Every structure is written in structure tokens, then in C-alpha cells.
Amino acid sequence: LTTQVANRYFIPSSYGKIVSITMTPHRGMPLMAHSSAARAGVESLTRNWAMEWGRFGIRAVAVAPGIVHTAAWERYGMSPEAIGSGLPAGRLQTADEVAAMVAFLFSPAGDCITGTTFTCDGGFDIAGPEAGFPPSRHQDAFDYLSGESCHITIHAGEAFGLPSIHEAVAFC
């Protein structure tokens, strides 16, 4: 879709902006290889668009928020206050803060910004496990699989931890 928009509208007008939304952390986390690979792919694709289409006046950047406090996020059962307090910013970010960063990049102030990823996550990317994320249930699930000498990839533990790993192993 992005390629079609670029070919139809951006290239003929010699101007366009693409903002990809990815997320942090950029460091590895237990049971999150699939998510880390997808984020890295989006960021690489964004850099490639910047190189390929820059000569046509097209700018491509990515924004990598951390944990955005939303009603959907609260369904994971983690305390936003507890997780946020471990971040350098001392709280989780809001959707409006992410939107403000995107608006800045689409504004004239973003006309010369391309080929990079803006990490705007309250310090989540640098905080690590002491911020309470990944939750201990991720590490418990990872440790269980390692101890059982499992040579399979199971992504069930991402949201539900060790109980979902037990279910997946029993199913296999």
C-alpha cells in the first residue's frame, strides 16, 4: 500500500512523508523474538524507503513508542503505576504524546528528517527488567522451556505466561 501511494501521489508531486509506527524495546526479551524481528523489519523498511525515495522528495521515519497507557493495555493485568514508576520518565506515555510526535514529523519542522527511528518511550528502551517488564511470567515461561530442553518455538507465553506454555507443550 505504501509503495502504491508513493508511486501514485508522492513521486509525481515530488513530496511526501511516511511515518511508520513500531515500538520499543530494541533490546531482546524472553519469548518476544517474533515481535523483535517484526519491529526491526519495520525500521529497516523505513530506512530503505528513505534511501530509495529521498530523491523524489519523500521522507520516511519511524516512531517507536514504549508502553502506551490505554484501556487495551490494562487488559494485560499489569499496574500502569507500577510499570511506569520504573521508567526514567516515571510514568507510561499517553496516546496523545505519541500523536504529538507524529504530528511534529508531518509538520514543516520534519521536512529534513528522514531514515531514522525516534524512540519516544519515557526511557523504556533503556530501563530494562528493573522497570518490571518483561513481567516475571515471561521469564518463568522461558526458564521452564529451557529446563525441559524444548527445541520448539512457542509464542503462547507472551501474554499469559507459564500456564499457556504448559498448555502448548501438552498439546504438542
Side-chain angles (χ1 to χ4, degrees), residues 56-68:
F56 300 112
I58 299 171
R59 305 295 175 249
V61 297
V63 173
I67 301 172
V68 181

Side-chain angles (χ1 to χ4, degrees), residues 22-43 155 158:
T22 180
M23 65 176 280
T24 60
H26 292 100
R27 60 184 150 68
M29 288 181 14
L31 302 174
M32 296 293 287
H34 61 293
S35 181
S36 295
R39 292 190 303 267
V42 168
E43 292 179 22
H155 299 293
E158 178 180 344

Side-chain angles (χ1 to χ4, degrees), residues 13-158:
S13 66
S14 299
Y15 181 82
K17 291 186 180 178
I18 300 163
V19 177
S20 304
I21 305 294
T22 180
M23 65 176 280
T24 60
H26 292 100
R27 60 184 150 68
M29 288 181 14
L31 302 174
M32 296 293 287
H34 61 293
S35 181
S36 295
R39 292 190 303 267
V42 168
E43 292 179 22
S44 180
L45 182 61
T46 302
R47 286 189 301 275
N48 277 279
W49 285 334
M51 278 297 299
E52 291 175 19
W53 296 336
R55 63 192 169 114
F56 300 112
I58 299 171
R59 305 295 175 249
V61 297
V63 173
I67 301 172
V68 181
H69 187 189
T70 64
W73 184 82
E74 288 188 11
R75 284 182 268 189
Y76 281 104
M78 294 179 274
S79 163
E81 292 78 19
I83 299 296
S85 68
L87 301 177
R91 63 177 179 79
L92 298 181
Q93 66 195 127
T94 67
D96 287 344
E97 290 168 326
V98 177
M101 181 58 155
V102 172
F104 164 77
L105 293 168
F106 276 118
S107 78
D111 282 350
C112 202
I113 300 171
T114 194
T116 193
T117 298
F118 282 88
T119 300
C120 50
D121 65 355
F124 179 54
D125 198 38
I126 60 172
E130 60 274 7
F133 201 87
S136 60
R137 66 179 181 250
H138 284 214
Q139 190 63 50
D140 293 344
F142 179 78
D143 291 344
Y144 171 77
L145 287 174
S146 298
E148 292 295 311
S149 298
C150 289
H151 301 289
I152 57 175
T153 300
I154 299 176
H155 299 293
E158 178 180 344

